[in-house]
């Protein structure tokens, strides 16, 4: 028994020395001047207009090729609307390819088989996604320079508003208002946000029934949302797929533009 104890102690000491020399676990993150660093990011989303195919992803570009040396997600903190994504409905994954690291949000198996008829469904609501390193120095465990030992660095958090897939077209600015047509309706269960100019509220519209939507029903819902929730400042009318938005009353600030609020912030 004594001999076995000594052998175990010797093995433990050898492992400790090895870890000190080569690095083990979280302490192995190696941030140097040669570490890959972020140079930009973009956000995208989409679906095949069904529950299972919905997704949103943030793609972060680095200044040199990357290599996954472990669990890519382990070094990242991902938040949706300021909180950890609901693991019952949202599956978060991460991978590297070339010089890009991509974080993807997709439905869990339960949410993919659910939808609006159940209480378990994929929904991004405001669609505010934040991706950050778990470390103060920005080092990312499990992601290194290709063929090297220098860990990638995400020096600051990436914040993005997921695009709902809604598009607008045929914009016409008129005296006292703006008119436009809905091109594409939302492609996933995520809110759309519309800006009508300085001093006016940003309009939030829900897209809960996106899979059943059309450009016409989206236009009707937007006009109804404006009149019901933003009527103190704005007034909307709809004709087919065309929405016209004006000031709620004479003398109030009038819309001067219309833009979808989305993308990397």
């Amino acid at each position: 028994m004594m001999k076995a104890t000594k052998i175990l102690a010797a093995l433990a000491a050898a492992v400790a020395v090895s870890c000190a020399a080569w690095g083990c676990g979280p302490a192995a993150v190696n941030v140097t001047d040669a570490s890959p660093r972020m140079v930009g990011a973009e956000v995208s989303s989409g679906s095949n207009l069904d529950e299972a195919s919905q997704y949103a992803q943030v793609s972060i570009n680095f200044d040199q090729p990357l290599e996954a040396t472990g669990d890519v997600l382990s070094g990242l903190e991902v938040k949706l609307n300021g909180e950890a994504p609901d693991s019952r409905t949202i599956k978060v994954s991460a991978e590297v390819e070339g010089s890009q690291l991509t974080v993807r949000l997709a439905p869990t198996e339960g949410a993919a088989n659910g939808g609006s008829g159940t209480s378990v469904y994929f929904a991004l609501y405001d669609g505010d996604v934040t991706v950050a390193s778990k470390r103060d120095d920005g080092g990312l465990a499990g992601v290194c320079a290709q063929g090297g030992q220098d860990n990638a660095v995400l020096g600051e958090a990436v914040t993005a508003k997921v695009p709902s897939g809604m598009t607008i077209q045929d914009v016409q600015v008129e005296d006292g208002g703006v008119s436009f047509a809905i091109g594409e309706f939302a492609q996933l269960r995520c809110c759309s946000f519309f800006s009508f100019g300085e001093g006016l509220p940003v309009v939030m519209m829900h897209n809960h029934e996106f899979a059943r939507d059309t450009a016409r029903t989206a236009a009707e819902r937007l006009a109804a949302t404006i009149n019901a929730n933003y009527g103190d400042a704005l007034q909307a009318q709809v004709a087919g797929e065309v929405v016209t938005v004006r000031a709620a009353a004479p003398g109030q600030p009038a819309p001067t533009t219309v833009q979808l609020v989305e993308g990397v912030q």
Side-chain angles (χ1 to χ4, degrees):
M1 179 65 71
M2 183 67 69
K3 185 177 181 180
T5 302
K6 290 182 177 179
I7 292 174
L8 289 174
L11 287 172
V15 170
V17 170
S18 177
C19 283
W22 300 101
C24 294
V29 174
N30 187 34
V31 173
T32 72
D33 290 342
S35 292
R37 283 172 165 78
M38 183 187 75
V39 294
E42 56 257 7
V43 59
S44 59
S45 63
S47 79
N48 295 325
L49 296 181
D50 57 33
E51 294 295 331
S53 62
Q54 296 177 87
Y55 76 92
Q57 63 184 31
V58 176
S59 299
I60 304 171
N61 301 310
F62 287 79
D63 59 4
Q64 56 182 294
L66 305 173
E67 179 179 337
T69 56
D71 181 359
V72 175
L73 191 59
S74 68
L76 295 167
E77 182 177 58
V78 180
K79 292 186 177 181
L80 174 64
N81 304 319
E83 299 179 350
D86 185 350
S87 60
R88 298 178 308 153
T89 60
I90 298 174
K91 176 176 61 178
V92 181
S93 60
E95 64 178 11
V96 297
E97 182 175 355
S99 58
Q100 193 170 75
L101 185 160
T102 299
V103 175
R104 187 178 180 94
L105 281 65
T108 60
E109 184 176 351
N113 294 327
S116 58
T118 75
S119 60
V120 180
Y121 51 81
F122 180 86
L124 301 183
Y125 300 101
D126 288 4
D128 292 323
V129 177
T130 302
V131 179
S133 170
K134 290 181 178 178
R135 293 170 55 97
D136 291 340
D137 62 5
L140 299 179
V143 183
C144 287
Q146 190 176 66
Q149 297 181 346
D150 303 304
N151 287 79
V153 175
L154 184 57
E156 59 184 42
V158 175
T159 60
K161 186 171 283 295
V162 174
S164 67
M166 185 86 66
T167 64
I168 53 179
Q169 58 192 31
D170 302 330
V171 177
Q172 297 185 21
V173 179
E174 308 164 346
D175 185 25
V178 61
S179 66
F180 55 95
I182 299 296
E184 291 288 343
F185 53 91
Q187 303 297 295
L188 72 162
R189 194 172 286 106
C190 182
C191 293
S192 300
F193 292 82
F194 298 82
S195 172
F196 293 99
E198 187 175 352
L200 293 171
V202 173
V203 172
M204 179 184 74
M205 184 178 79
H206 289 275
N207 297 300
H208 194 75
E209 301 290 342
F210 75 98
R212 300 187 181 97
D213 233 341
T214 66
R216 181 184 292 266
T217 58
E220 292 171 349
R221 188 168 65 258
L222 175 58
T225 297
I226 291 172
N227 293 331
N229 300 332
Y230 304 90
D232 290 345
L234 300 169
Q235 180 186 70
Q237 296 177 317
V238 62
E241 299 166 0
V242 178
V243 181
T244 301
V245 182
R246 298 186 175 89
Q252 289 186 327
T256 57
T257 186
V258 57
Q259 294 179 329
L260 286 160
V261 181
E262 59 189 28
V264 175
Q265 307 298 301

